[in-house]
Structures are given as C-alpha cells and as structure tokens.
Amino acid sequence: MSYSTADSLRPVTLDDVRGAQKMLTGVARVTAMEGSRHLSQLVGSPVHLKCENLQRTGSFKLRGAYVRIAGLLPEERAAGVVAASAGNHAQGVALASSLLGVHSTVFMPNGAPLPKISATREYGAEVRLHGQVVDETLEAAQEYAAETGAVFIHPFDHPDIIAGQGTVGLEILDQCPEVGTIVVGIGGGGLAAGIAVAVKAVRPDVRIVGVQAAGAAAYPPSLAAGHPVTVANPATMADGIRVGRPGDVPFALVEELVDEVRTVSEDQLSAALLLCLERAKMVVEPAGASPVAALLGEPGAFAGPVVAVLSGGNVDPVLLQRVLRHGMAAQGRYLAVRLRLTDRPGALATLLGVLSAVDANVLDVSHIRTDPRLGLAEAEVELHLETKGPAHCTEVGRSLREAGYTVID
C-alpha cells in the first residue's frame, strides 16, 4: 500500500535539508560522534559512531516529525495531526507537536512496549491502541485522518520527513569531513534517503551502505524489481526497521543515491547490540545497532573512515534482556543445557561440582523430579551457564558426558 500524495512526491534537495537544519536549531540536538577502538581494529580503519540514540526522544525521528509539522498551514495545525508507530516515530511526533502547540493523536499496536506507550503519552500525545501490526495501525490512523481532518504524519514517505532526517548527514560531514563510508539502517528508507541527499550533494565520493534485517528486507527485492515491493510478514527483533514495503519517495532516492543495501541476521543484531553496550557503553535498540551488525558481518567490506549511525536507543527492557542473552549465546558466552541424573541425595551438588571444576558459572537451575517422561529414580535438571566462548562450551559438554551425565539436546 502506498501512502504518498501529490505533495509528497516532490523532489528532496540539499537546500531542503539545509532549510530543515535551520528549522531544527535549538530543537534537535547535534548528537555526538564517538570513536570505536574495537571496531576500528576490526575494520582496519577509523570507525565512528553517530549517536542518534542520544537524540531527544531517543532517536532521529524527532528531526523529520518537527520539520513536517512545522511546515503545516495554520488551518492544518488547527485540525491536529495523527500518526501511527510502534514507538520511535510516535515519540517524535508527540514531542514535535507539543513544541509547536499542535494536538497529536498517535495510534500504536496493541503489542507496543509499555515504556514506549508511556513515553509517547508523556510527550503530550493522545495514544490509541489498535491492531497487532504496524500496517493495521497505519490504516486506522489514516481512517481517523479522513474522518476528523487531522493531518496524517507518515513515518518516512514525505519530503519534509526525509529533509529532516537528512540533517544527520550534514552533521556527519561537519564532524567527520574525511568520511569514506556511511552505514545506516533502513526500514522504510527515510533516514537513509535523507542522509544520501545531503551527503552525495556535497561529497559524491562517499559510499553509503544501507542495512536491513534479513527477515524484513524489502529493499533488495524492490531494487531488483525497480519499484517498491511488499514483503509479507516481516519478522525481526529490530522493530524500528521492520517495514514490509519501502516508501515511494525514499525508494526513488535510495535507488539513485545509496550505493548498496546489505542484510544482517538476528544473531548479528544481537552481537552488535551487546558490543555497543559492552565496548561503546551505549544503550542501542536492535535497529540502531544494525550498522554495527553489518561491520561485524564483513568488516573488510567498508572503506574508512567509517561512520555507523546508531539511529535509536529506545529498547524495551524485557527485549533487551532477551537480546543480550541471545547475543551472549551467539558468542558462546551463555549456555543452556538439560540433562538427566539419578535422583538421590547429593546428586545435584555433585553435578555443580563438575561444572565448578571447568569454571562454568551457574546463573539459574531448574530441578524437575516429577514428570511422566522420567524414570522412577530419575530427575531432570536445566542449567543456564555463563561461559567463556565456543571452546569453553565444548569443554563443558565434554566434561558432563565424561562424568556420566545424559545431556539432552
């Protein structure tokens, strides 16, 4: 489904982005650019992190939302605005509307994380929960706009949104004028398109690489087809880039100006989020960590200096806990095992002694003694262990088997 209008199909230029930058002065932060020694060593050239996770509302979305709403006519502002989002765009629209004195209604999916719902309300929006996926929420928001006259603020498919997001590109050029490659996550394409417009107009030699989650990668087939293609049931932990169809406006710009679009796996996203937390001391959501995931996946493919855009940091604490555990498991630093042992006094203590001997740290133990699958004198134990890497995981498994335990895969 396309949400474009005649107004939304006008071209986006460098002058538009520069105008947006003036408009955002005193509204959006000029976010920090931090060097990463670990990634620089991995890539073989300087790597810098553009920290939009430290932007107001926790992501770049405020930039485009403010520019779009500020450009409305007085009668349009009086009618209010409406948006649909699982989180980041919702908060951007809510704060931008409050700053501009415009009433905002934001539709969010029923499954949206509670912290994002609460933050959107606190920024001043009226929140309505509808549907299970963002596409259903988008339809509800558009119906509301048709019924009430409120202006629909699309998350990525409008020139003003793209111009606002493009101010990230101007900041990158100011903060790292020698940049060789910019790596940025892509969902609908607004951020990547805006950065490409700004950067390519000034430095056409800079390589711009977009990154999508493999389970929600609508751009590769769309670029191959030459027009936006819908991917059914996009699935990824990176909800910020879980978009089933590119926007018409950003697609045209990405097709023209972005040099490459790569995909990353869920394991790579988990590892990237963990690296950002441990090495860069940055809380980043999975979508925001996607450029780092691409660097981890093929570090030799990026000519430096490299700027990786950390697009957002609004991660649900429950998801963060799961993702960190997943990332640790992917690196061989977390191991879950189930095994059976004889149900007698001291059996569990003996098992823990075996694990202690191989220096495996026990995080959690579940001890099942009554189950139809178990023999009369059997017990089943599930252990969650902190380990030191793949080799250590192998050593733990071998030690358990040598001690006579039956490890259940």
Side-chain angles (χ1 to χ4, degrees), residues 339 354 357-358 394-407:
L339 49 84
V354 172
V358 290
T394 301
E395 181 186 1
V396 170
R398 183 175 61 249
S399 296
L400 289 170
R401 290 184 175 89
E402 289 176 351
Y405 293 103
T406 301
V407 179

Side-chain angles (χ1 to χ4, degrees), residues 170-194:
L170 294 181
E171 290 179 17
I172 290 172
L173 292 177
D174 287 340
Q175 294 168 316
C176 185
E178 71 280 12
V179 61
T181 304
I182 297 173
V183 190
V184 55
I186 295 187
L191 177 61

